[in-house]
Amino acid sequence: MQNKLSVETNKKAQRYYLIDALRGFSVFNMVIFHLLYDIFQMYGVNTGWYFNPLTAAWERFICVSFIIISGISFNFSHRPYRRGIMLNIFGFIVTIVTAAAVPNEAIWFGILNFLGCAMLILQPLKVYFEKTTPILGMFISMLCFALTYGVPKRFIGIFNLKLFELPDSLYSFKALAFLGFPSPDFRSTDFFPLIPWIFLFFFGYFLWRFIKSVKADKFFVFKIPVLDIVGRYSLWIYLAHQPVILAVLMIVFGLG
């Protein structure tokens, strides 16, 4: 009996360090991207950098990977409602600070608010999602993501391939921006509306269930030094990295 309890305890304590490392890699890319953005765009060193196709692809890779990993990690969340509320509070703080400090670079419904709302939405849906096979769930989630990818740009399509436009009335109210219907005067430097990104979050959730179903989770127990630690503290790094970067750049460019 004692041995059985010991085994169960070890199973509960098992951590999939590779997921931390993958999140850490995504966070590392995010920090470097924002450093270059601040240098090139805010300080005008190379204002054409942001519009380079490779830059756009890099930015999209960071967004997609981080949201999928967050969806995967939802499978291990013990208090999703509490964490969802906490992420939204931090998101609102980021909005207040950026709107007050740099109004032109203000963040409205950024990644923290999105992830917080995604967790609050997925938790009550879990009971239904668990009845869906992982492959089907992945397929439907990715299909919905592809079809609604253009919703913030006012169309339904297959990713950037436009099939038909959506009515202007959906985009008449700034308050609907968080759903995926930003009004013409809406501006945000970090914007992740629920549509289409919630479906990518769902995809991540089902992806881990698929990995477990084929018993591939055994490959995720390996550590990648440094990156796994970065991944475990991703929230605090996200909150701290921009103020630190801006402070350093103010010193560097000020002295220059």
Side-chain angles (χ1 to χ4, degrees):
M1 180 67 176
Q2 188 174 5
N3 289 336
K4 184 177 179 181
L5 288 175
S6 178
V7 170
E8 289 178 353
T9 301
N10 288 334
K11 285 182 178 179
K12 289 180 180 178
Q14 184 185 56
R15 188 176 186 94
Y16 294 103
Y17 294 100
L18 186 56
I19 295 176
D20 291 327
L22 291 172
R23 188 188 303 109
F25 180 70
S26 181
V27 169
F28 176 78
N29 273 272
M30 175 196 69
V31 172
I32 299 300
F33 183 91
H34 285 162
L35 171 63
L36 296 178
Y37 178 90
D38 292 344
I39 293 174
F40 294 148
Q41 297 299 121
M42 293 185 66
Y43 284 91
V45 175
N46 178 9
T47 54
W49 170 83
Y50 186 71
F51 302 99
N52 187 298
L54 292 178
T55 302
W58 184 23
E59 182 184 31
R60 197 78 337 183
F61 165 77
I62 297 170
C63 300
V64 168
S65 62
F66 194 80
I67 291 174
I68 289 177
I69 293 167
S70 297
I72 288 174
S73 301
F74 183 85
N75 288 276
F76 315 110
S77 181
H78 299 297
R79 296 177 178 177
Y81 287 124
R82 177 180 176 181
R83 185 162 181 80
I85 293 171
M86 181 185 73
L87 287 174
N88 270 299
I89 291 173
F90 281 128
F92 291 135
I93 292 173
V94 169
T95 295
I96 292 170
V97 171
T98 55
V102 279
N104 292 334
E105 300 287 330
I107 294 174
W108 299 91
F109 207 80
I111 190 65
L112 294 184
N113 284 119
F114 164 73
L115 291 177
C117 289
M119 296 184 76
L120 295 175
I121 291 170
L122 180 51
Q123 180 58 21
L125 294 176
K126 242 177 82 171
V127 64
Y128 304 105
F129 282 14
E130 287 174 352
K131 299 175 182 177
T132 306
T133 59
I135 287 289
L136 180 60
M138 289 168 61
F139 173 77
I140 293 176
S141 297
M142 186 54 67
L143 178 62
C144 290
F145 178 66
L147 291 173
T148 62
Y149 187 78
V151 166
K153 297 178 181 179
R154 304 191 173 208
F155 69 86
I156 293 291
I158 301 175
F159 292 111
N160 282 322
L161 177 62
K162 185 186 297 186
L163 296 179
F164 60 88
E165 294 186 356
L166 293 170
D168 291 340
S169 58
L170 289 174
Y171 302 86
S172 301
F173 305 98
K174 189 179 290 188
L176 296 181
F178 81 99
L179 291 176
F181 307 106
S183 59
D185 59 341
F186 177 82
R187 296 289 182 274
S188 177
T189 56
D190 182 38
F191 179 49
F192 288 90
L194 290 174
I195 300 174
W197 298 106
I198 188 72
F199 300 114
L200 198 63
F201 189 83
F202 292 165
F203 176 84
Y205 169 78
F206 283 112
L207 176 60
W208 180 253
R209 288 189 56 213
F210 171 74
I211 290 171
K212 287 278 288 184
S213 69
V214 297
K215 303 188 186 307
D217 56 310
K218 60 186 177 183
F219 299 111
F220 286 78
V221 299
F222 301 107
K223 285 186 178 182
I224 298 180
V226 180
L227 283 181
D228 65 309
I229 297 176
V230 171
R232 291 176 66 178
Y233 295 97
S234 58
L235 173 60
W236 306 112
I237 293 172
Y238 176 85
L239 292 172
H241 81 284
Q242 272 288 42
V244 172
I245 289 173
L246 291 174
V248 171
L249 293 181
M250 285 177 65
I251 295 172
V252 171
F253 283 90
L255 293 176

